[in-house]
Amino acid sequence: MTETPLLELDRLSAHYVTGRGTRVVRAVDEVSLTLRAGETLGVVGESGSGKTTLALTILRLLPPAARIVSGTMRFEGEDLLAKSSAEMRRIRGKRIAMILQDPMASLNPLFTVGDQVAEGVRVHEHASRRSAHERAGVLLRAVRIPAAAQRLREYPHQMSGGMRQRIVGAIAISCEPRLLIADEPTTSLDVTIQAQYLKLLRDIQREHGLALIFITHNLGIVARMCDSVAVMYAGRIIESGPVRQIFNAPAHPYTQALIESIPRLGGGPERLTAIDGQPPDLAVLPKGCSFQARCPRVVDRCREEDPPVIELAAQHNSRCWLAKP
């Protein structure tokens, strides 16, 4: 019997509508992916490729100017698009949680750390104030924050950046979600704290058995943390597959360029690959492949026809006319 995926997206699209409906930005465009319990998926791509919008779409937390226009989204076999706003509020934080890139965007400066970590426990598990605060202390110790009892009484501005990021992590796991979405959680951390935080996320994942979607522009983190990877460009997943296969045999020119831009230790001096040009305007996408204006291997067909998803091997797909199974 085949295990039911934890999360299934099928041709999911979310658009921003601006200028009184005259300008449509296809931030998430026909995205399909599958994530199983306990797996880690890395979502990579340049800024503006649609990574964060994809995460907000899964949580149905899009801003007023955006809306989901097509596709399906199932979590634990349930249709998330059919859920009411009240039902989604019961899912967010309890079954699906998210760590934002900037912890200060998640933490309220007017409330103590203890109140904020305990809030999810009180809302979703209907715990008393006392038991929720006891649980908050346990959570702070779980994310390796020293003097947890003291920190519970302090405010976010009294913490370092690394501590604030750990506190946000404690809030995210407070109700033991099945899926954790981490949106570039290490961007503001120095290298030493970054390594500690990544180890912490792996420990949390192992202890709680949750699935993890790790959004990042750092392919080194993907190689270390993830089981599979989805490469986004112009709102679409243009290549996806197991991490080892993508790194050893990337099929899409964009993926190849991203990997070739990573500095390597031990080799001689060499110029890193740079991707010429800029990503396209998502409101005015070019005809054909969205990467064709920047692609060093472009052919006439790329300028005329949008490539379909081509299956190259088991679980390895690419949107490129040059990709061969």
Side-chain angles (χ1 to χ4, degrees), residues 14 18-19 23 51 73 77 101 106 111 119 128 158 165 195 208 230 239-240 247 280-281 293 305-306:
T18 61
R23 182 178 170 87
K51 306 186 298 297
M73 184 165 58
Q101 179 176 349
S106 305
F111 292 91
E119 181 182 11
S128 66
Q158 296 175 274
Q165 196 64 272
H208 295 270
E239 186 164 7
S240 62
F247 274 75
D281 183 345
E305 300 178 55
D306 188 17

PDB file of all heavy atoms in Angstrom, residues 14 18-19 23 51 73 77 101 106 111 119 128 158 165 195 208 230 239-240 247 280-281 293 305-306:
ATOM      1  N   ALA A  14      -0.949  31.126  -7.995  1.00  0.00           N
ATOM      2  CA  ALA A  14      -1.386  32.265  -7.189  1.00  0.00           C
ATOM      3  C   ALA A  14      -0.888  33.530  -7.865  1.00  0.00           C
ATOM      4  O   ALA A  14       0.292  33.647  -8.188  1.00  0.00           O
ATOM      5  CB  ALA A  14      -0.849  32.165  -5.764  1.00  0.00           C
ATOM      6  N   THR A  18      -2.893  43.892  -9.644  1.00  0.00           N
ATOM      7  CA  THR A  18      -2.649  45.299  -9.306  1.00  0.00           C
ATOM      8  C   THR A  18      -3.228  46.199 -10.391  1.00  0.00           C
ATOM      9  O   THR A  18      -3.679  45.739 -11.437  1.00  0.00           O
ATOM     10  CB  THR A  18      -1.139  45.566  -9.177  1.00  0.00           C
ATOM     11  OG1 THR A  18      -0.510  45.287 -10.443  1.00  0.00           O
ATOM     12  CG2 THR A  18      -0.517  44.677  -8.113  1.00  0.00           C
ATOM     13  N   GLY A  19      -3.170  47.487 -10.147  1.00  0.00           N
ATOM     14  CA  GLY A  19      -3.639  48.455 -11.144  1.00  0.00           C
ATOM     15  C   GLY A  19      -5.071  48.250 -11.552  1.00  0.00           C
ATOM     16  O   GLY A  19      -5.405  48.250 -12.745  1.00  0.00           O
ATOM     17  N   ARG A  23      -3.077  44.601 -14.250  1.00  0.00           N
ATOM     18  CA  ARG A  23      -1.746  44.004 -14.215  1.00  0.00           C
ATOM     19  C   ARG A  23      -1.784  42.755 -13.342  1.00  0.00           C
ATOM     20  O   ARG A  23      -2.099  42.826 -12.151  1.00  0.00           O
ATOM     21  CB  ARG A  23      -0.738  45.008 -13.670  1.00  0.00           C
ATOM     22  CG  ARG A  23       0.706  44.531 -13.619  1.00  0.00           C
ATOM     23  CD  ARG A  23       1.598  45.656 -13.114  1.00  0.00           C
ATOM     24  NE  ARG A  23       2.945  45.218 -12.811  1.00  0.00           N
ATOM     25  CZ  ARG A  23       3.940  45.159 -13.694  1.00  0.00           C
ATOM     26  NH1 ARG A  23       3.707  45.523 -14.945  1.00  0.00           N
ATOM     27  NH2 ARG A  23       5.141  44.762 -13.339  1.00  0.00           N
ATOM     28  N   LYS A  51       9.395  31.987  -4.154  1.00  0.00           N
ATOM     29  CA  LYS A  51       9.573  31.025  -3.063  1.00  0.00           C
ATOM     30  C   LYS A  51       8.697  31.364  -1.857  1.00  0.00           C
ATOM     31  O   LYS A  51       7.970  30.513  -1.337  1.00  0.00           O
ATOM     32  CB  LYS A  51      11.049  30.969  -2.644  1.00  0.00           C
ATOM     33  CG  LYS A  51      12.027  30.683  -3.765  1.00  0.00           C
ATOM     34  CD  LYS A  51      13.452  30.503  -3.264  1.00  0.00           C
ATOM     35  CE  LYS A  51      14.024  31.733  -2.582  1.00  0.00           C
ATOM     36  NZ  LYS A  51      14.136  32.904  -3.483  1.00  0.00           N
ATOM     37  N   MET A  73      -4.513  21.699  -3.622  1.00  0.00           N
ATOM     38  CA  MET A  73      -3.556  21.703  -2.528  1.00  0.00           C
ATOM     39  C   MET A  73      -4.118  20.811  -1.430  1.00  0.00           C
ATOM     40  O   MET A  73      -5.121  21.144  -0.792  1.00  0.00           O
ATOM     41  CB  MET A  73      -3.351  23.148  -2.037  1.00  0.00           C
ATOM     42  CG  MET A  73      -2.313  23.310  -0.965  1.00  0.00           C
ATOM     43  SD  MET A  73      -1.818  25.057  -0.765  1.00  0.00           S
ATOM     44  CE  MET A  73      -3.380  25.872  -0.377  1.00  0.00           C
ATOM     45  N   GLY A  77      -4.224  14.467   3.061  1.00  0.00           N
ATOM     46  CA  GLY A  77      -5.405  13.996   2.349  1.00  0.00           C
ATOM     47  C   GLY A  77      -6.558  14.964   2.316  1.00  0.00           C
ATOM     48  O   GLY A  77      -7.583  14.698   1.664  1.00  0.00           O
ATOM     49  N   GLN A 101      11.765  34.767   7.671  1.00  0.00           N
ATOM     50  CA  GLN A 101      13.160  35.161   7.479  1.00  0.00           C
ATOM     51  C   GLN A 101      13.631  36.139   8.545  1.00  0.00           C
ATOM     52  O   GLN A 101      14.732  36.025   9.075  1.00  0.00           O
ATOM     53  CB  GLN A 101      13.327  35.775   6.088  1.00  0.00           C
ATOM     54  CG  GLN A 101      14.740  36.239   5.778  1.00  0.00           C
ATOM     55  CD  GLN A 101      14.852  36.751   4.352  1.00  0.00           C
ATOM     56  OE1 GLN A 101      13.950  36.584   3.544  1.00  0.00           O
ATOM     57  NE2 GLN A 101      15.967  37.362   4.031  1.00  0.00           N
ATOM     58  N   SER A 106       8.009  38.416  13.292  1.00  0.00           N
ATOM     59  CA  SER A 106       7.139  37.449  13.954  1.00  0.00           C
ATOM     60  C   SER A 106       6.912  37.768  15.418  1.00  0.00           C
ATOM     61  O   SER A 106       5.920  37.332  15.996  1.00  0.00           O
ATOM     62  CB  SER A 106       7.753  36.042  13.857  1.00  0.00           C
ATOM     63  OG  SER A 106       8.032  35.687  12.535  1.00  0.00           O
ATOM     64  N   PHE A 111       5.186  42.334  24.009  1.00  0.00           N
ATOM     65  CA  PHE A 111       4.884  41.179  24.848  1.00  0.00           C
ATOM     66  C   PHE A 111       6.169  40.428  25.194  1.00  0.00           C
ATOM     67  O   PHE A 111       7.118  40.411  24.415  1.00  0.00           O
ATOM     68  CB  PHE A 111       3.908  40.231  24.137  1.00  0.00           C
ATOM     69  CG  PHE A 111       2.532  40.804  23.955  1.00  0.00           C
ATOM     70  CD1 PHE A 111       2.202  41.510  22.814  1.00  0.00           C
ATOM     71  CD2 PHE A 111       1.567  40.647  24.939  1.00  0.00           C
ATOM     72  CE1 PHE A 111       0.940  42.055  22.643  1.00  0.00           C
ATOM     73  CE2 PHE A 111       0.299  41.186  24.783  1.00  0.00           C
ATOM     74  CZ  PHE A 111      -0.018  41.891  23.633  1.00  0.00           C
ATOM     75  N   GLU A 119       1.528  31.408  23.560  1.00  0.00           N
ATOM     76  CA  GLU A 119       0.256  31.754  22.922  1.00  0.00           C
ATOM     77  C   GLU A 119      -0.315  30.609  22.085  1.00  0.00           C
ATOM     78  O   GLU A 119      -1.508  30.287  22.170  1.00  0.00           O
ATOM     79  CB  GLU A 119       0.424  32.994  22.047  1.00  0.00           C
ATOM     80  CG  GLU A 119      -0.868  33.430  21.381  1.00  0.00           C
ATOM     81  CD  GLU A 119      -0.678  34.639  20.476  1.00  0.00           C
ATOM     82  OE1 GLU A 119       0.483  35.009  20.211  1.00  0.00           O
ATOM     83  OE2 GLU A 119      -1.692  35.208  20.043  1.00  0.00           O
ATOM     84  N   SER A 128      -4.052  26.120  30.262  1.00  0.00           N
ATOM     85  CA  SER A 128      -4.123  27.252  31.175  1.00  0.00           C
ATOM     86  C   SER A 128      -2.875  28.106  31.008  1.00  0.00           C
ATOM     87  O   SER A 128      -1.868  27.670  30.448  1.00  0.00           O
ATOM     88  CB  SER A 128      -4.210  26.758  32.625  1.00  0.00           C
ATOM     89  OG  SER A 128      -2.997  26.106  32.999  1.00  0.00           O
ATOM     90  N   GLN A 158      15.711  42.436  23.906  1.00  0.00           N
ATOM     91  CA  GLN A 158      16.785  42.085  24.823  1.00  0.00           C
ATOM     92  C   GLN A 158      17.570  40.859  24.362  1.00  0.00           C
ATOM     93  O   GLN A 158      18.518  40.465  25.035  1.00  0.00           O
ATOM     94  CB  GLN A 158      16.209  41.845  26.227  1.00  0.00           C
ATOM     95  CG  GLN A 158      15.577  43.084  26.855  1.00  0.00           C
ATOM     96  CD  GLN A 158      14.907  42.787  28.174  1.00  0.00           C
ATOM     97  OE1 GLN A 158      13.749  42.381  28.233  1.00  0.00           O
ATOM     98  NE2 GLN A 158      15.665  42.974  29.254  1.00  0.00           N
ATOM     99  N   GLN A 165      15.919  34.152  16.595  1.00  0.00           N
ATOM    100  CA  GLN A 165      15.602  33.133  15.608  1.00  0.00           C
ATOM    101  C   GLN A 165      15.248  31.811  16.285  1.00  0.00           C
ATOM    102  O   GLN A 165      14.351  31.088  15.842  1.00  0.00           O
ATOM    103  CB  GLN A 165      16.794  32.945  14.657  1.00  0.00           C
ATOM    104  CG  GLN A 165      16.466  32.204  13.380  1.00  0.00           C
ATOM    105  CD  GLN A 165      15.476  32.939  12.498  1.00  0.00           C
ATOM    106  OE1 GLN A 165      14.270  32.780  12.649  1.00  0.00           O
ATOM    107  NE2 GLN A 165      15.965  33.731  11.570  1.00  0.00           N
ATOM    108  N   ALA A 195      25.448  27.529  11.501  1.00  0.00           N
ATOM    109  CA  ALA A 195      25.697  26.091  11.601  1.00  0.00           C
ATOM    110  C   ALA A 195      24.979  25.494  12.807  1.00  0.00           C
ATOM    111  O   ALA A 195      24.398  24.397  12.719  1.00  0.00           O
ATOM    112  CB  ALA A 195      27.203  25.834  11.698  1.00  0.00           C
ATOM    113  N   HIS A 208      10.817  15.242  16.494  1.00  0.00           N
ATOM    114  CA  HIS A 208       9.369  15.402  16.342  1.00  0.00           C
ATOM    115  C   HIS A 208       8.826  14.708  15.088  1.00  0.00           C
ATOM    116  O   HIS A 208       7.599  14.642  14.916  1.00  0.00           O
ATOM    117  CB  HIS A 208       9.009  16.891  16.308  1.00  0.00           C
ATOM    118  CG  HIS A 208       9.299  17.596  17.600  1.00  0.00           C
ATOM    119  ND1 HIS A 208       8.388  17.698  18.622  1.00  0.00           N
ATOM    120  CD2 HIS A 208      10.417  18.220  18.047  1.00  0.00           C
ATOM    121  CE1 HIS A 208       8.913  18.361  19.630  1.00  0.00           C
ATOM    122  NE2 HIS A 208      10.147  18.701  19.312  1.00  0.00           N
ATOM    123  N   ALA A 230      13.624  21.645  -5.164  1.00  0.00           N
ATOM    124  CA  ALA A 230      12.815  22.221  -6.235  1.00  0.00           C
ATOM    125  C   ALA A 230      13.411  23.577  -6.580  1.00  0.00           C
ATOM    126  O   ALA A 230      13.539  24.438  -5.704  1.00  0.00           O
ATOM    127  CB  ALA A 230      11.361  22.363  -5.806  1.00  0.00           C
ATOM    128  N   GLU A 239      12.984  22.723 -12.265  1.00  0.00           N
ATOM    129  CA  GLU A 239      13.644  21.422 -12.104  1.00  0.00           C
ATOM    130  C   GLU A 239      13.438  20.951 -10.677  1.00  0.00           C
ATOM    131  O   GLU A 239      13.473  21.739  -9.729  1.00  0.00           O
ATOM    132  CB  GLU A 239      15.136  21.499 -12.423  1.00  0.00           C
ATOM    133  CG  GLU A 239      15.812  20.127 -12.399  1.00  0.00           C
ATOM    134  CD  GLU A 239      17.182  20.080 -13.077  1.00  0.00           C
ATOM    135  OE1 GLU A 239      17.684  21.152 -13.464  1.00  0.00           O
ATOM    136  OE2 GLU A 239      17.732  18.985 -13.224  1.00  0.00           O
ATOM    137  N   SER A 240      13.217  19.653 -10.519  1.00  0.00           N
ATOM    138  CA  SER A 240      13.040  19.085  -9.185  1.00  0.00           C
ATOM    139  C   SER A 240      13.523  17.649  -9.186  1.00  0.00           C
ATOM    140  O   SER A 240      13.523  16.973 -10.218  1.00  0.00           O
ATOM    141  CB  SER A 240      11.572  19.144  -8.747  1.00  0.00           C
ATOM    142  OG  SER A 240      10.757  18.373  -9.618  1.00  0.00           O
ATOM    143  N   PHE A 247      22.422  17.714  -8.010  1.00  0.00           N
ATOM    144  CA  PHE A 247      23.778  18.256  -7.921  1.00  0.00           C
ATOM    145  C   PHE A 247      24.732  17.544  -8.875  1.00  0.00           C
ATOM    146  O   PHE A 247      25.635  18.177  -9.436  1.00  0.00           O
ATOM    147  CB  PHE A 247      24.297  18.154  -6.484  1.00  0.00           C
ATOM    148  CG  PHE A 247      23.910  19.315  -5.614  1.00  0.00           C
ATOM    149  CD1 PHE A 247      22.608  19.443  -5.138  1.00  0.00           C
ATOM    150  CD2 PHE A 247      24.819  20.300  -5.280  1.00  0.00           C
ATOM    151  CE1 PHE A 247      22.231  20.509  -4.348  1.00  0.00           C
ATOM    152  CE2 PHE A 247      24.456  21.387  -4.489  1.00  0.00           C
ATOM    153  CZ  PHE A 247      23.163  21.492  -4.029  1.00  0.00           C
ATOM    154  N   PRO A 280      12.726  37.849 -15.508  1.00  0.00           N
ATOM    155  CA  PRO A 280      11.688  38.574 -16.246  1.00  0.00           C
ATOM    156  C   PRO A 280      10.640  39.180 -15.326  1.00  0.00           C
ATOM    157  O   PRO A 280      10.482  38.777 -14.169  1.00  0.00           O
ATOM    158  CB  PRO A 280      11.073  37.477 -17.128  1.00  0.00           C
ATOM    159  CG  PRO A 280      11.276  36.217 -16.343  1.00  0.00           C
ATOM    160  CD  PRO A 280      12.603  36.391 -15.660  1.00  0.00           C
ATOM    161  N   ASP A 281       9.935  40.177 -15.845  1.00  0.00           N
ATOM    162  CA  ASP A 281       8.800  40.766 -15.149  1.00  0.00           C
ATOM    163  C   ASP A 281       7.669  39.733 -15.142  1.00  0.00           C
ATOM    164  O   ASP A 281       7.205  39.293 -16.201  1.00  0.00           O
ATOM    165  CB  ASP A 281       8.366  42.036 -15.893  1.00  0.00           C
ATOM    166  CG  ASP A 281       7.222  42.773 -15.194  1.00  0.00           C
ATOM    167  OD1 ASP A 281       6.574  42.182 -14.313  1.00  0.00           O
ATOM    168  OD2 ASP A 281       6.992  43.939 -15.557  1.00  0.00           O
ATOM    169  N   ALA A 293      15.898  34.420 -22.377  1.00  0.00           N
ATOM    170  CA  ALA A 293      16.702  35.626 -22.601  1.00  0.00           C
ATOM    171  C   ALA A 293      18.052  35.574 -21.891  1.00  0.00           C
ATOM    172  O   ALA A 293      18.973  36.300 -22.254  1.00  0.00           O
ATOM    173  CB  ALA A 293      15.919  36.857 -22.129  1.00  0.00           C
ATOM    174  N   GLU A 305       8.023  28.207 -27.925  1.00  0.00           N
ATOM    175  CA  GLU A 305       7.159  27.257 -27.227  1.00  0.00           C
ATOM    176  C   GLU A 305       7.578  27.133 -25.762  1.00  0.00           C
ATOM    177  O   GLU A 305       8.765  27.023 -25.453  1.00  0.00           O
ATOM    178  CB  GLU A 305       7.217  25.880 -27.889  1.00  0.00           C
ATOM    179  CG  GLU A 305       6.788  25.853 -29.343  1.00  0.00           C
ATOM    180  CD  GLU A 305       6.918  24.456 -29.937  1.00  0.00           C
ATOM    181  OE1 GLU A 305       6.335  23.514 -29.358  1.00  0.00           O
ATOM    182  OE2 GLU A 305       7.619  24.307 -30.943  1.00  0.00           O
ATOM    183  N   ASP A 306       6.591  27.134 -24.887  1.00  0.00           N
ATOM    184  CA  ASP A 306       6.837  26.949 -23.457  1.00  0.00           C
ATOM    185  C   ASP A 306       7.110  25.464 -23.204  1.00  0.00           C
ATOM    186  O   ASP A 306       6.259  24.621 -23.510  1.00  0.00           O
ATOM    187  CB  ASP A 306       5.609  27.408 -22.664  1.00  0.00           C
ATOM    188  CG  ASP A 306       5.855  27.430 -21.177  1.00  0.00           C
ATOM    189  OD1 ASP A 306       7.031  27.416 -20.764  1.00  0.00           O
ATOM    190  OD2 ASP A 306       4.869  27.447 -20.419  1.00  0.00           O
TER     191      ASP A 306
END
